Amino acid sequence: MRHLEISDLITAVDLRDGSRLPVRRDEVVRQLRDGGDERAARIVAGLPTDRDGTLDPDAVDRLLISVHTELQRLSEELRIGNRLVHLLGPLFTAIRADGAHPGPYRLVDIGCGLGYLVRWLAATDALGPDVELIGVDLNAALVGEADRLARAEGLDCRFVHGNAFELPEAATVYVSTGVLHHFSAAALTGFFQAQAASPALAFCHFDIAATSLAPLGARVFHRARMRHPLGRHDGVVSAERAHDDATLLRTAAVPGLRALLYEPRGLSNPFCTTLRPVLGVRPHLEAPLRQALGGRASRRLVGPEHLGEAARPGGEAAR
């Protein structure tokens, strides 16, 4: 069975200008059935359409906002903000200490959805007042709702509808949560190359840890916590699509950036690990980043050359 997420198929945008494109319901149903996913096909077949058979864009937007609201609750339960700051705090400490790049700095969240991460960072001021917080998404409805929530909460952050790599002001650090598995392994290299080609100094992308327990855990967790069948379906498929550690490090190892994985499988408990990040830093920042992390945390940050050693029985994971 091909692993297709419904949310990837029921909206489409023109990548040149971000404008919305019509999506025919019967075409999405056909794709899902061709991929062997009859359950997903039935979910889409029940979505409303306009007279010409295209999915009703307003109904799709309402559905996606509802599902992303539930995803925000999961992010709160999994303490995604705290996990990210555990690495971003030392990363910005290293950038500031380097001295070659005085602030202010700019953090850009790619595929921000409802902007939970950006809003959490703004509410906690966890990275300091010299870090501007920007969320970017290709879905205009999600960006609009993120902006509405931020204004209602009185937060100092902003949201942009468009391509994160085409902002008029360059990012200092790119981040994302739950985005990498939406790319094929081949497309991931281009994703990381775009960041290496930018003026950004680093990236930190959290995604589902590809453990043997991940699909089962996602099935149990999403069935218990997600109300709409689309959210339940896509949550499980996300875990099935997750990239393994070797794929992430291989695709992230692009010229100009040092690829690093935090808590790879050999250094983590598969029963507890749901998400883990892949980082890329300009090579001169690796040493100050490790110094800022300190001790055990620094040792849990590994490059491609150490991944096999860390994963072997009796290696670092066993000590």
Side-chain angles (χ1 to χ4, degrees):
M1 178 190 295
R2 292 168 57 201
H3 300 309
L4 299 173
E5 292 185 52
I6 297 171
S7 57
D8 287 344
L9 302 177
I10 60 176
T11 62
V13 298
D14 187 324
L15 295 179
R16 294 170 299 180
D17 59 12
S19 61
R20 189 155 187 166
L21 301 174
V23 177
R24 292 192 61 83
R25 184 176 67 183
D26 57 359
E27 176 60 21
V28 177
V29 170
R30 182 194 63 77
Q31 284 183 260
L32 292 167
R33 284 182 173 151
D34 287 349
D37 195 340
E38 184 61 34
R39 175 170 169 257
R42 290 196 300 269
I43 293 172
V44 174
L47 299 180
T49 65
D50 294 334
R51 291 183 179 180
D52 61 356
T54 61
L55 287 167
D56 180 344
D58 293 332
V60 168
D61 287 345
R62 289 193 297 270
L63 173 58
L64 291 179
I65 288 173
S66 174
V67 169
H68 276 260
T69 300
E70 293 187 322
L71 288 173
Q72 173 176 299
R73 189 170 64 247
L74 298 186
S75 295
E76 293 170 343
E77 293 175 356
L78 294 173
R79 297 175 62 83
I80 298 301
N82 299 84
R83 293 185 183 198
L84 197 65
V85 168
H86 176 66
L87 293 173
L88 286 183
L91 178 56
F92 276 103
T93 295
I95 291 172
R96 293 182 183 106
D98 177 56
H101 304 278
Y105 306 103
R106 188 169 295 108
L107 179 141
V108 173
D109 183 9
I110 302 172
C112 66
L114 294 184
Y116 168 74
L117 175 62
V118 168
R119 291 188 287 113
W120 187 91
L121 291 172
T124 59
D125 194 26
L127 298 179
D130 60 346
V131 180
E132 181 184 5
L133 304 169
I134 304 171
V136 184
D137 203 290
L138 289 170
N139 187 299
L142 296 178
V143 167
E145 182 66 4
D147 184 67
R148 184 191 70 79
L149 291 169
R151 286 186 283 106
E153 295 160 353
L155 299 175
D156 185 15
C157 56
R158 62 187 177 96
F159 297 92
V160 178
H161 171 226
N163 187 326
F165 303 130
E166 295 181 358
L167 298 177
E169 301 165 319
T172 307
V173 176
Y174 285 108
V175 300
S176 73
T177 54
V179 167
L180 298 185
H181 67 267
H182 290 277
F183 292 89
S184 66
L188 267 182
T189 299
F191 176 74
F192 291 127
Q193 285 175 338
Q195 293 164 81
S198 78
L201 299 177
F203 63 70
C204 181
H205 298 296
F206 273 78
D207 205 20
I208 300 166
T211 66
S212 58
L213 297 174
L216 175 61
R219 190 176 302 277
V220 172
F221 196 65
H222 284 80
R223 182 167 294 278
R225 303 299 288 138
M226 302 294 280
R227 296 183 181 90
H228 196 277
L230 183 152
R232 294 176 178 177
H233 173 273
D234 281 8
V236 175
V237 174
S238 294
E240 293 171 338
R241 295 176 68 183
H243 297 289
D244 61 29
D245 294 351
T247 298
L248 288 175
L249 280 175
R250 184 183 73 252
T251 55
V254 294
L257 287 170
R258 165 72 164 154
L260 299 163
L261 196 68
Y262 191 70
E263 293 192 322
R265 288 188 63 178
L267 298 180
S268 59
N269 184 338
F271 292 95
C272 301
T273 303
T274 52
L275 299 167
R276 53 91 180 85
V278 60
L279 296 88
V281 298
R282 299 299 176 186
H284 70 280
L285 289 173
E286 181 180 359
L289 170 59
R290 290 186 178 279
Q291 182 177 1
L293 279 169
R296 184 181 180 187
S298 177
R299 293 193 295 273
R300 298 176 85 82
L301 190 64
V302 303
E305 68 278 7
H306 299 301
L307 186 57
E309 175 186 343
R312 284 200 304 267
E316 179 73 25
R319 291 199 287 272

